[in-house]
Amino acid sequence: MYGLDHLGSSSGALRRLASNARVYSAWWNVNSVNRLSLVVDSEVLLSIDGLFPGDPEDHPNLTWWPELAAMSEFFDFEDEDWTGRDDGWSWKAGFLTAVELATGVRLDRQWLDTEHPYLVFRGPIPE
């Protein structure tokens, strides 16, 4: 979803991508605005902020992504001051690990350097 920039995290784009499919999306920008999403058959089941993921029970559809649910460190932190993660956990690595575990695709340098099929959306994309 790299080429879609911020549209890569929009529910409208993800729903279109997940028509009769399962889509895992890990998106962030240089300002740490981020979203980890799971969309199944055009329904957004999970949309989680890596800096403020909350608790597992805050995400009732987490059972749809058992690999993420099993990553206890993803949700295991205390944020009493509501400042986001500062416990040394890399939410970006956590995002990619969750996607790798769910898909079996290793998102390493070789994968990044390989050309992949892509889709072109014509705007505007409805939410």
Side-chain angles (χ1 to χ4, degrees):
M1 303 261 286
Y2 172 78
L4 294 176
D5 189 32
H6 71 282
L7 295 177
S9 66
S10 79
S11 58
L14 291 173
R15 280 195 307 270
R16 288 179 69 181
L17 286 169
S19 177
N20 298 311
R22 177 180 284 249
V23 170
Y24 299 91
S25 174
W27 177 86
W28 63 85
N29 69 15
V30 297
N31 297 319
S32 295
V33 176
N34 68 87
R35 190 63 44 197
L36 180 66
S37 303
L38 169 62
V39 187
V40 178
D41 294 330
S42 299
E43 182 181 353
V44 179
L45 298 177
L46 284 171
S47 184
I48 301 173
D49 183 314
L51 290 172
F52 304 99
D55 295 315
E57 53 272 7
D58 297 332
H59 308 284
N61 290 326
L62 190 58
T63 57
W64 283 84
W65 196 339
E67 298 85 1
L68 178 59
M71 292 175 58
S72 60
E73 289 180 344
F74 190 90
F75 298 100
D76 185 25
F77 83 107
E78 302 240 352
D79 187 16
E80 296 170 2
D81 298 323
W82 195 249
T83 56
R85 293 203 81 135
D86 60 0
D87 58 355
W89 167 262
S90 171
W91 54 267
K92 295 172 190 172
F95 276 17
L96 297 180
T97 300
V99 172
E100 286 183 354
L101 290 171
T103 64
V105 174
R106 179 83 174 132
L107 302 174
D108 57 11
R109 174 55 58 189
Q110 181 181 356
W111 185 89
L112 292 171
D113 291 340
T114 303
E115 190 172 318
H116 300 282
Y118 61 92
L119 298 170
V120 176
F121 286 103
R122 302 220 187 278
I125 298 173
E127 283 298 312

